[in-house]
Amino acid sequence: MTAVLNADLHCHSSISDGLLAPAELVCRAHVNGVELLALTDHDELDGLAEARATADALGLRFVDGVEISVSWGNDQTLHIVGLGVDPSYAVLDVGLAELRSGRDARAMRMAAELDKVGIHGAYEGALRYVSNPALVGRSHFARYIVESGYAKDVKSVFDHWLAKDKPGYVSHHWTTLETALRWIREAGGVAVIAHPGRYRITKGELRRLLGEFRDLGGEGIEVQSGSHSEEETLTMARYAREFGFLASRGSDFHGPGESRIDLGKLPALPEGLRPVWEALL
Ligand code: AMP
Ligand code: MN
Ligand code: MN
Ligand code: MN
């Protein structure tokens, strides 16, 4: 299997916080030349059947995926992508349902904080952008806040209100790294640490995280990511070699007009890495 396969192993549909329905997302990937696609909605498997059926009809190879929200260390949120998971595995399905169940109360707390800084009606507003009521997230708030004229785009909403330490951010306990990795392993999947360049942690903490992730059975790292600068990509390629990780490539596409990198449009993986799809095909 060639390292230049156009694989896109990280993206979102409207089942979580993407803008396109699973079938629309898969069609767009196909048009863009993607040869191997994983749908990785946040904490949710419900879009996979529709995505797979569409991919099968188009002759596009498809991988069942998920992006799991994890709390690590001192209130650091991490995202772990599971690739090739069995969506019918009950422990994963039930665990994710429980994980999602905290989102509604979190959304109400976020709305209360936003209200204090003059952004009113954000809970009801965010829900207008949600197609899966179990999965209200910060992106839905961001879309409401843009539409209401408080900010010019989603990115500036995060910069002003929704990123950590901003007024509308509330801390939340997700699941543990150990539990997320156990769910993925038992569901037959490969665990990949998502966009490691995005975490606001020191170099030392990142190394500690990568070591812990590997010790708990984590096998892959996103090297090419829509969230990475060129420099971060090279840094993650070095970590992949040093820690012996499989390398992944994923746009983290959420929707046209919102995501910088479209499906299948990232550069190829740097040379000399073992692509994660070797473990999936
Ligand atoms: P949540 O799981 O509700 O905390 O939402 C996390 C999602 O918010 C991420 O998956 C992104 O889609 C989005 N997000 C987080 N930070 C940013 C940012 N700085 N700019 C744009 N979107 C962001
Ligand atoms: Mn998202
Ligand atoms: Mn993520
Ligand atoms: Mn993502």
Side-chain angles (χ1 to χ4, degrees):
M1 189 49 58
T2 159
V4 295
L5 180 80
N6 191 346
D8 194 331
L9 302 177
H10 185 158
C11 63
H12 298 273
S13 76
S14 54
I15 293 297
S16 63
D17 60 355
L19 293 171
L20 304 179
E24 294 174 309
L25 187 79
V26 173
C27 288
R28 187 179 183 97
H30 183 63
V31 168
N32 283 6
V34 173
E35 296 166 294
L36 180 70
L37 179 73
L39 173 62
T40 57
D41 275 315
H42 297 285
D43 309 326
E44 177 61 276
L45 305 167
D46 254 16
L48 295 173
E50 178 183 318
R52 178 173 286 283
T54 310
D56 284 352
L58 294 168
L60 168 56
R61 279 180 288 186
F62 183 76
V63 172
D64 291 304
V66 63
E67 181 176 21
I68 304 180
S69 311
V70 162
S71 297
W72 182 75
N74 184 23
D75 195 29
Q76 173 65 49
T77 298
L78 304 175
H79 286 168
I80 305 297
V81 163
L83 296 175
V85 292
D86 174 0
S88 71
Y89 179 63
V91 173
L92 175 66
D93 195 34
V94 170
L96 292 176
E98 198 186 325
L99 184 52
R100 288 192 298 272
S101 70
R103 280 185 174 266
D104 197 53
R106 171 192 185 237
M108 287 189 217
R109 287 191 294 137
M110 284 173 55
E113 294 303 315
L114 288 166
D115 196 65
K116 290 182 199 164
V117 294
I119 296 176
H120 308 298
Y123 176 72
E124 296 73 19
L127 286 183
R128 293 212 300 272
Y129 292 84
V130 161
S131 57
N132 172 4
L135 216 127
V136 54
R138 284 185 288 163
S139 301
H140 306 108
F141 278 85
R143 289 169 195 149
Y144 164 71
I145 292 170
V146 171
E147 181 222 50
S148 309
Y150 294 104
K152 67 175 191 318
D153 57 24
V154 161
K155 187 187 173 304
S156 49
V157 176
F158 276 90
D159 292 346
H160 285 95
W161 292 290
L162 297 183
K164 197 169 178 198
D165 301 324
K166 299 296 174 185
Y169 180 86
V170 302
S171 118
H172 184 73
H173 183 72
W174 301 105
T175 190
T176 64
L177 184 59
E178 187 176 2
T179 304
L181 291 186
R182 180 169 52 79
W183 289 342
I184 293 169
R185 181 178 64 248
E186 290 181 1
V190 175
V192 176
I193 190 153
H195 42 62
R198 213 169 79 189
Y199 306 127
R200 294 292 145 245
I201 56 180
T202 64
K203 219 171 127 183
E205 285 169 326
L206 179 58
R207 295 186 68 88
R208 188 164 66 80
L209 168 61
L210 296 178
E212 214 175 287
F213 174 74
R214 187 179 59 184
D215 291 346
L216 289 168
E219 294 175 79
I221 181 172
E222 279 183 0
V223 171
Q224 278 292 3
S225 160
S227 300
H228 285 169
S229 65
E230 276 179 46
E231 192 189 332
E232 285 167 334
T233 299
L234 295 176
T235 302
M236 299 316 153
R238 277 203 308 279
Y239 285 133
R241 293 187 195 98
E242 178 186 337
F243 285 80
F245 289 135
L246 299 164
S248 193
R249 175 179 188 258
S251 60
D252 207 357
F253 179 77
H254 281 72
E258 211 170 273
S259 296
R260 193 171 56 87
I261 304 285
D262 207 331
L263 292 161
K265 298 297 182 186
L266 279 171
L269 287 173
E271 294 290 317
L273 298 173
R274 282 186 304 143
V276 69
W277 47 92
E278 285 182 359
L280 300 171
L281 295 173

